[in-house]
Amino acid sequence: MFSLSDIHPLSEFQRSAKAFIARLKQTKAPMVLTVNGKAAAVVQDAESYQQLLDRMELLESIAGIRKSIEEFEQGEGIPLKEAFHRVRRGSQQRLESIDQLLGDDPEI
């Protein structure tokens, strides 16, 4: 949640960009920028943004794992050996397709 001290007009941000960026780095808190009194953008320091992306990626992975577990518990899916077999077979087919495209040309 944003506090009132984290909401600023875009014009104020533009006038004092260096000071705002220093504050973003120091506080690690995002800031809402407004245009005509309405929220228009959210800015934050790069390190905090990267941490946010990392957390989102982790949460998406956990959600995928949970979904897979639910599917497994419902009898969906395939055995691990069959999954590996399909992956290997697909990889082998792609390699064969590449070989066919390249032909016997020793220059390639």
Side-chain angles (χ1 to χ4, degrees), residues 2 6 8 13 16-33 42-49:
F2 297 102
D6 294 328
H8 301 276
F13 182 86
S16 306
K18 286 185 180 182
F20 276 101
I21 290 173
R23 182 176 172 199
L24 288 167
K25 287 180 180 181
Q26 178 187 10
T27 65
K28 305 290 184 196
M31 188 178 296
V32 176
L33 302 179
V42 176
V43 293
Q44 70 183 129
D45 69 293
E47 183 181 339
S48 295
Y49 181 68

Side-chain angles (χ1 to χ4, degrees), residues 31-85:
M31 188 178 296
V32 176
L33 302 179
T34 62
V35 174
N36 297 325
K38 295 182 181 177
V42 176
V43 293
Q44 70 183 129
D45 69 293
E47 183 181 339
S48 295
Y49 181 68
Q50 185 60 53
Q51 288 175 354
L52 177 67
L53 292 177
D54 293 345
R55 287 184 192 132
M56 288 297 299
E57 184 178 351
L58 177 62
L59 289 172
E60 289 171 354
S61 296
I62 291 170
I65 291 168
R66 285 184 176 158
K67 182 178 181 221
S68 296
I69 290 170
E70 288 173 10
E71 289 173 354
F72 174 77
E73 289 173 346
Q74 295 172 2
E76 300 174 12
I78 59 174
L80 184 60
K81 285 185 180 183
E82 174 62 20
F84 281 139
H85 177 70

Side-chain angles (χ1 to χ4, degrees), residues 93-104:
Q93 288 172 347
R94 284 188 289 283
L95 289 173
E96 289 171 1
S97 296
I98 291 170
D99 286 344
Q100 289 175 356
L101 287 173
L102 295 177
D104 293 329

